[in-house]
Each structure stands twice: as structure tokens, then as C-alpha cells.
């Protein structure tokens, strides 16, 4: 275990198993369709790449980057730092997120993207913290529900570090 972690919440093996299950669900639900995946940078980058390797349907992939956080606290203010290169009108869209916490980011993204008239739009998130929700959001695909703890690894960061850890872990208090 990394010296800055107090516990490993989800092991690499558990993540890999769950991603295969999520990919099977998506493959089944979107049979015969092309899916437009929108990865939300930077946290999604490992999850998205592992997910798409297990999808057996045609996919397009694009990225957005939004800022809502600095350090550990949600500011509630969402800004688009990088937008899509392609239109999504008439397309079946899935937003791929690392984690949904207060729901403010995904709520804002859903509103913004729905205005671009996709045929359908759903969310696939690796992690979900249901106890932290400030706004209701509809999450179709959830990897794991987790408690209200600040987690890092598998793409998730604390001040840009720890994204490369292969598991999801909880940081020691003294590090934060
Ligand atoms: P929300 O708007 O509060 O739902 O937060 C969503 C974003 O906050 C995620 O995409 C993450 O970038 C970040 N975030 C929320 N909780 C955590 C955490 O426990 N660890 C790392 N990043 C987090």
C-alpha cells in the first residue's frame, strides 16, 4: 500500500471485475447502436480506457474538462475548460465520470449537453458518494457506491497527485 494511504477501499482486481460488468451492461443496452462517450477529464482517463476495451459496440470518444474543485472542497461553480470537438445532436451519449459527489458537476454537464439535443444521454460513473448529494442526478451506470471519504487513485487525484495508483484508496488525514 502507498505510504500516504490509510486504507485501500477498492482493489485493482475488484475495479477490473466491476468494469467488465459495466461494459457488458452497456454493450447489451446499446446493441446495434453507435455510442458517443464523453470522458470528463482528467479523472476519467484510466476508467474510460479500461471501459472502452471491454465494450463490444461501435464507440466514438470525445473529452470535456471542467473545473469545480481546488483541493478537497467543492466550490459549486462549474466552468468548461475544454469542450467537445464534435456535435452530439441526434446521438446516443454516455458521460463517463470518475466520481459523483455533490452532483453539481454532472448536473451542470447534463443541462449543458441536453441543450445540444442528443438522442439520449446517460451517465456512467466509477464511483458514487450518495450521502454527499446536493442536487438530484440520474446515474444509470454506477461502479461502486462509497462512503463520504476523500479517495484517490485510478485516475482520481489530490492536488494532481496519486492518479497513478492502481487501486482506490483513502488518504491519511496528515496528508490533507
Ligand atoms: P461533484 O460536482 O461534487 O459531484 O464532484 C465531482 C468532481 O469532484 C469529480 O469529477 C472529482 O474530480 C472531484 N471529486 C469529488 N470527490 C472526490 C474524491 O473523493 N477524490 C477526488 N476527487 C473528487
Amino acid at each position: 500500500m502507498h505510504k500516504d494511504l490509510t486504507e485501500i477501499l477498492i482493489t485493482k482486481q475488484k475495479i477490473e471485475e466491476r468494469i467488465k460488468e459495466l461494459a457488458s451492461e452497456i454493450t447489451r443496452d446499446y446493441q446495434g447502436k453507435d455510442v458517443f462517450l464523453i470522458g470528463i477529464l482528467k479523472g476519467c482517463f484510466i476508467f474510460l480506457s479500461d471501459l472502452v476495451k471491454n465494450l463490444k459496440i461501435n464507440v466514438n470518444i470525445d473529452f470535456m474538462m471542467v473545473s469545480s474543485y481546488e483541493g478537497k472542497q467543492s466550490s459549486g461553480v462549474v466552468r468548461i475548460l475544454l469542450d467537445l470537438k464534435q456535435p452530439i445532436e441526434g446521438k446516443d451519449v454516455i458521460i463517463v465520470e470518475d466520481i459523483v459527489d455533490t452532483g453539481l458537476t454532472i448536473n451542470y454537464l447534463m443541462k449543458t449537453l441536453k441543450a445540444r439535443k442528443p438522442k439520449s444521454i446517460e451517465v456512467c460513473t466509477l464511483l458514487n458518494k450518495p450521502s454527499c448529494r446536493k442536487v438530484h442526478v440520474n446515474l444509470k451506470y454506477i461502479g461502486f457506491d462509497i462512503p463520504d471519504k476523500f479517495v484517490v487513485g485510478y485516475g482520481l487525484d489530490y492536488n494532481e497527485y496519486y492518479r497513478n495508483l492502481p487501486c482506490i484508496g483513502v488518504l491519511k488525514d496528515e496528508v490533507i
Side-chain angles (χ1 to χ4, degrees), residues 9 72 101 128-132 145-151 170:
L9 210 55
K72 204 173 154 268
D101 183 356
N128 179 38
K129 283 189 200 169
S131 61
C132 298
D145 283 332
I146 61 164
D148 181 12
K149 292 181 173 178
F150 193 81
V151 293
V170 181

Side-chain angles (χ1 to χ4, degrees), residues 40 43 68-69 71-72 74 78 97-106 129 133 146 149-152 156-158 163:
I40 309 304
S68 56
Y69 269 57
K72 204 173 154 268
S74 171
V78 180
E97 260 282 26
D98 53 353
I99 186 165
V100 177
D101 183 356
T102 61
L104 291 167
T105 307
I106 206 72
K129 283 189 200 169
R133 206 65 97 247
I146 61 164
K149 292 181 173 178
F150 193 81
V151 293
V152 294
L156 288 100
D157 75 309
Y158 173 61
R163 292 192 197 275

Side-chain angles (χ1 to χ4, degrees), residues 134-148:
K134 287 188 182 160
V135 285
H136 172 75
V137 281
N138 192 18
L139 307 175
K140 181 145 187 201
Y141 305 100
I142 297 171
F144 302 90
D145 283 332
I146 61 164
D148 181 12

